[in-house]
Amino acid sequence: MFAERLTRIVGSSLLLALSCGAAFAQDGDWSYGITAYGWFNDTGITTDTPQGEVDAELSFSDALDNLDFAFMGAVEARNGPWGVMSDLLYFKLSAEASTPRRLLFSDAQIESEITVLSAYATYRAYETANMAFDVGAGVRGFWIDLDTTLVGAAAPTQTINQDKNWVDPLIAARFRMDFNEKTFGTLFLDAGGTGDSRSWQALATVGYRLNEQWEFQGGYRYLEATWDTDFGESSMDFSGPILGATYRF
């Protein structure tokens, strides 16, 4: 089931980047980039339940111990000032959590399956020989499945499932500067939401250009999302260093 879901989302992400690119311009040369990266992030999940708020905090080392699977990747297409980008995150992990009403419950656990797919159309608003500034708009889709188990003490054990899918509209900006022929820096920001949800992220990296095809980058990324539930509000955040390699053609 997961393989089918991931294949469908990855395929949609690639198709979106390529087909949107064709829609922006019919002539001229398109360039493409495919990025694989690792995000060594700390994870925080907070969710309201009928018994109170449950908080789970995982450091990266804890997350590795509790990680069932993860996938991360991005694609980009550019033609002149126009560009399209898509980024996919998938996490499946479990964590120990704080226990509401401690006299009633001895322990709490959260099992989560989280898919985040972001897509943007961008326009190069400013460019010089060594810097570029892009603005854009897009969407970020979330597929969230949380199972919160409250292990009973005085009260019986309870499991609360929260399954939520939604899309946030986004505005985005990216600034890139070449320090010299080989090294460069990038800053990317986006934010958006609806009345029932909101999300934002920030990414800062320093990169090394090995040749015309290969680039390597390292930096720091933060992503946060909050959404309404039947019991109140839930939120998650991911933060930590990131390393990636991009192949351009």
Side-chain angles (χ1 to χ4, degrees), residues 80-120:
W82 295 103
V84 288
M85 302 184 298
S86 186
D87 177 78
L88 174 65
L89 298 170
Y90 175 86
F91 297 94
K92 187 175 182 181
L93 53 84
S94 57
E96 299 291 328
S98 62
T99 306
R101 304 188 182 183
R102 293 184 178 276
L103 294 178
L104 299 179
F105 304 101
S106 62
D107 194 13
Q109 298 176 343
I110 294 179
E111 295 183 355
S112 62
E113 186 173 5
I114 301 167
T115 304
V116 183
L117 175 61
S118 305
Y120 315 85

XYZ file of all heavy atoms in Angstrom, residues 80-120:
321
model
N 14.593 30.351 -18.852
C 14.682 31.784 -18.712
C 14.293 32.202 -17.305
O 14.761 31.637 -16.315
N 13.394 33.183 -17.167
C 13.008 33.644 -15.827
C 12.000 32.738 -15.133
O 11.758 32.886 -13.945
C 12.395 35.023 -16.094
C 11.831 34.907 -17.471
C 12.799 34.026 -18.233
N 11.410 31.803 -15.864
C 10.362 30.961 -15.299
C 10.928 29.672 -14.717
O 11.905 29.122 -15.221
C 9.320 30.619 -16.361
C 8.550 31.805 -16.857
C 8.728 32.450 -18.048
C 7.515 32.494 -16.172
N 7.850 33.501 -18.159
C 7.095 33.558 -17.018
C 6.893 32.329 -14.932
C 6.084 34.441 -16.657
C 5.880 33.210 -14.576
C 5.488 34.249 -15.425
N 10.300 29.190 -13.661
C 10.722 27.935 -13.067
C 9.576 27.241 -12.354
O 8.578 27.865 -11.977
N 9.699 25.945 -12.196
C 8.770 25.162 -11.379
C 9.605 24.246 -10.493
O 10.673 23.761 -10.903
C 7.774 24.340 -12.220
C 6.744 25.243 -12.873
C 8.496 23.508 -13.278
N 9.148 24.039 -9.269
C 9.865 23.206 -8.307
C 8.871 22.313 -7.578
O 7.703 22.688 -7.386
C 10.606 24.055 -7.276
C 11.614 25.032 -7.833
S 12.502 25.904 -6.504
C 11.162 26.775 -5.683
N 9.329 21.162 -7.164
C 8.504 20.271 -6.362
C 9.395 19.541 -5.366
O 10.527 19.162 -5.689
C 7.780 19.262 -7.261
O 6.872 18.481 -6.522
N 8.887 19.365 -4.150
C 9.659 18.746 -3.067
C 8.768 17.755 -2.334
O 7.604 18.060 -2.019
C 10.156 19.822 -2.095
C 10.902 19.236 -0.912
O 12.072 18.866 -1.081
O 10.299 19.128 0.164
N 9.299 16.565 -2.049
C 8.524 15.507 -1.403
C 9.221 15.030 -0.142
O 10.430 14.757 -0.145
C 8.340 14.326 -2.353
C 7.660 13.084 -1.773
C 6.213 13.377 -1.384
C 7.715 11.928 -2.769
N 8.452 14.936 0.945
C 8.923 14.367 2.212
C 7.964 13.264 2.640
O 6.744 13.422 2.545
C 8.944 15.431 3.316
C 9.841 16.652 3.150
C 9.513 17.672 4.233
C 11.301 16.235 3.247
N 8.532 12.172 3.119
C 7.711 11.109 3.691
C 8.393 10.592 4.952
O 9.585 10.269 4.934
C 7.511 9.956 2.702
C 6.773 8.785 3.316
C 5.376 8.756 3.334
C 7.460 7.726 3.901
C 4.688 7.697 3.909
C 6.786 6.665 4.479
C 5.409 6.653 4.486
O 4.727 5.602 5.069
N 7.651 10.556 6.064
C 8.153 10.020 7.323
C 7.143 9.010 7.873
O 5.933 9.253 7.853
C 8.329 11.117 8.384
C 9.346 12.162 8.032
C 8.956 13.337 7.414
C 10.685 11.984 8.314
C 9.876 14.322 7.099
C 11.617 12.951 8.010
C 11.216 14.126 7.403
N 7.643 7.930 8.386
C 6.823 6.994 9.152
C 7.598 6.660 10.419
O 8.624 5.981 10.370
C 6.524 5.721 8.359
C 5.529 4.794 9.049
C 5.180 3.610 8.183
C 4.135 2.728 8.886
N 3.794 1.547 8.062
N 7.123 7.179 11.553
C 7.872 6.987 12.794
C 6.926 6.935 13.978
O 5.752 7.296 13.894
C 8.919 8.091 12.985
C 8.476 9.563 12.913
C 7.941 10.037 14.247
C 9.639 10.440 12.477
N 7.447 6.454 15.097
C 6.695 6.370 16.349
C 7.513 7.015 17.459
O 8.740 7.117 17.367
C 6.378 4.907 16.696
O 7.562 4.146 16.771
N 6.812 7.468 18.504
C 7.499 8.188 19.575
C 6.745 8.044 20.886
O 5.509 7.949 20.900
C 7.625 9.659 19.223
N 7.510 8.030 21.980
C 6.913 8.151 23.302
C 6.470 9.599 23.508
O 7.101 10.523 22.997
C 7.920 7.757 24.386
C 8.410 6.325 24.298
C 7.322 5.315 24.636
O 6.457 5.648 25.486
O 7.311 4.221 24.048
N 5.396 9.793 24.257
C 4.828 11.133 24.405
C 4.464 11.399 25.853
O 4.367 10.480 26.678
C 3.590 11.278 23.512
N 4.264 12.692 26.153
C 3.801 13.071 27.485
C 2.381 12.545 27.699
O 1.586 12.442 26.758
C 3.822 14.593 27.642
O 2.943 15.195 26.710
N 2.048 12.221 28.938
C 0.778 11.579 29.248
C -0.175 12.554 29.926
O 0.126 13.074 30.996
C 0.999 10.369 30.180
O 1.954 9.492 29.587
C -0.295 9.626 30.403
N -1.324 12.831 29.306
C -2.312 13.652 29.995
C -3.003 12.849 31.098
O -3.118 11.621 31.008
C -3.293 14.020 28.880
C -3.212 12.876 27.931
C -1.781 12.401 27.984
N -3.437 13.531 32.139
C -4.183 12.868 33.225
C -3.424 11.644 33.733
O -3.834 10.494 33.586
C -5.581 12.480 32.751
C -6.365 13.670 32.210
C -7.798 13.326 31.930
N -8.504 14.467 31.363
C -9.806 14.479 31.070
N -10.527 13.396 31.289
N -10.374 15.550 30.557
N -2.299 11.917 34.365
C -1.365 10.862 34.731
C -1.948 9.813 35.671
O -1.481 8.683 35.715
C -0.107 11.486 35.351
C 0.703 12.306 34.359
C 1.980 12.832 34.962
N 2.771 13.578 33.995
C 3.614 13.023 33.134
N 3.772 11.717 33.141
N 4.290 13.772 32.287
N -2.941 10.158 36.441
C -3.561 9.161 37.303
C -4.358 8.150 36.506
O -4.545 7.008 36.947
C -4.474 9.847 38.331
C -3.767 10.744 39.356
C -4.789 11.389 40.274
C -2.738 9.938 40.160
N -4.804 8.555 35.314
C -5.617 7.661 34.491
C -4.784 6.852 33.503
O -5.149 5.717 33.167
C -6.674 8.471 33.723
C -7.685 9.253 34.566
C -8.636 10.008 33.664
C -8.453 8.297 35.490
N -3.661 7.436 33.037
C -2.866 6.783 31.994
C -1.393 6.755 32.399
O -0.844 7.747 32.871
C -3.032 7.517 30.661
C -4.466 7.630 30.221
C -5.157 8.823 30.402
C -5.127 6.557 29.667
C -6.470 8.943 30.009
C -6.445 6.659 29.272
C -7.129 7.848 29.442
N -0.768 5.614 32.191
C 0.626 5.450 32.599
C 1.610 5.820 31.508
O 2.784 6.085 31.789
C 0.866 3.989 33.014
O 0.637 3.111 31.908
N 1.174 5.835 30.274
C 2.094 6.071 29.167
C 1.293 6.559 27.964
O 0.076 6.376 27.886
C 2.831 4.773 28.814
C 4.028 5.011 27.905
O 4.425 6.179 27.766
O 4.535 4.031 27.327
N 1.996 7.190 27.016
C 1.382 7.626 25.765
C 2.358 7.384 24.614
O 3.576 7.523 24.780
C 0.999 9.102 25.828
N 1.821 7.000 23.473
C 2.629 6.748 22.289
C 1.928 7.338 21.075
O 0.696 7.300 20.977
C 2.838 5.245 22.067
C 3.593 4.553 23.190
C 3.692 3.051 22.969
O 2.959 2.487 22.169
N 4.599 2.414 23.687
N 2.735 7.883 20.148
C 2.211 8.408 18.900
C 2.883 7.678 17.739
O 4.110 7.628 17.655
C 2.452 9.922 18.760
C 1.668 10.695 19.809
C 2.056 10.405 17.359
C 1.885 12.199 19.746
N 2.081 7.080 16.877
C 2.569 6.507 15.629
C 2.093 7.401 14.496
O 0.904 7.704 14.395
C 2.054 5.080 15.444
C 2.585 4.109 16.488
C 2.117 2.686 16.237
O 1.309 2.492 15.296
O 2.545 1.788 16.970
N 3.016 7.841 13.640
C 2.675 8.817 12.617
C 3.149 8.366 11.247
O 4.202 7.733 11.096
C 3.295 10.177 12.958
O 4.701 10.089 12.985
N 2.351 8.706 10.251
C 2.716 8.549 8.849
C 2.433 9.890 8.182
O 1.279 10.327 8.116
C 1.927 7.432 8.183
C 2.387 7.135 6.773
C 1.706 5.909 6.178
O 0.805 5.366 6.838
O 2.070 5.515 5.060
N 3.479 10.555 7.718
C 3.381 11.946 7.273
C 3.970 12.076 5.877
O 5.129 11.724 5.641
C 4.125 12.885 8.238
C 3.539 12.778 9.652
C 4.080 14.325 7.738
C 4.399 13.420 10.719
N 3.166 12.560 4.949
C 3.623 12.867 3.595
C 3.385 14.343 3.325
O 2.287 14.850 3.572
C 2.866 12.029 2.546
O 3.004 10.636 2.849
C 3.418 12.288 1.150
N 4.408 15.030 2.828
C 4.318 16.459 2.525
C 4.844 16.670 1.107
O 6.003 16.375 0.818
C 5.132 17.312 3.518
C 4.942 18.797 3.217
C 4.743 17.002 4.958
N 3.990 17.176 0.237
C 4.372 17.445 -1.155
C 4.161 18.925 -1.448
O 3.040 19.439 -1.352
C 3.538 16.602 -2.116
C 3.755 16.859 -3.611
C 5.197 16.556 -4.010
C 2.784 16.038 -4.447
N 5.245 19.641 -1.774
C 5.184 21.066 -2.086
C 5.495 21.268 -3.568
O 6.359 20.585 -4.133
C 6.196 21.854 -1.250
O 6.019 21.611 0.128
N 4.792 22.224 -4.199
C 5.023 22.542 -5.604
C 4.877 24.046 -5.803
O 3.976 24.672 -5.224
C 4.049 21.790 -6.499
N 5.760 24.628 -6.627
C 5.801 26.079 -6.810
C 6.014 26.425 -8.279
O 6.732 25.715 -8.999
C 6.960 26.700 -6.019
C 7.140 26.227 -4.617
C 7.874 25.075 -4.342
C 6.599 26.930 -3.533
C 8.067 24.640 -3.052
C 6.785 26.501 -2.242
C 7.514 25.346 -1.998
O 7.705 24.907 -0.711
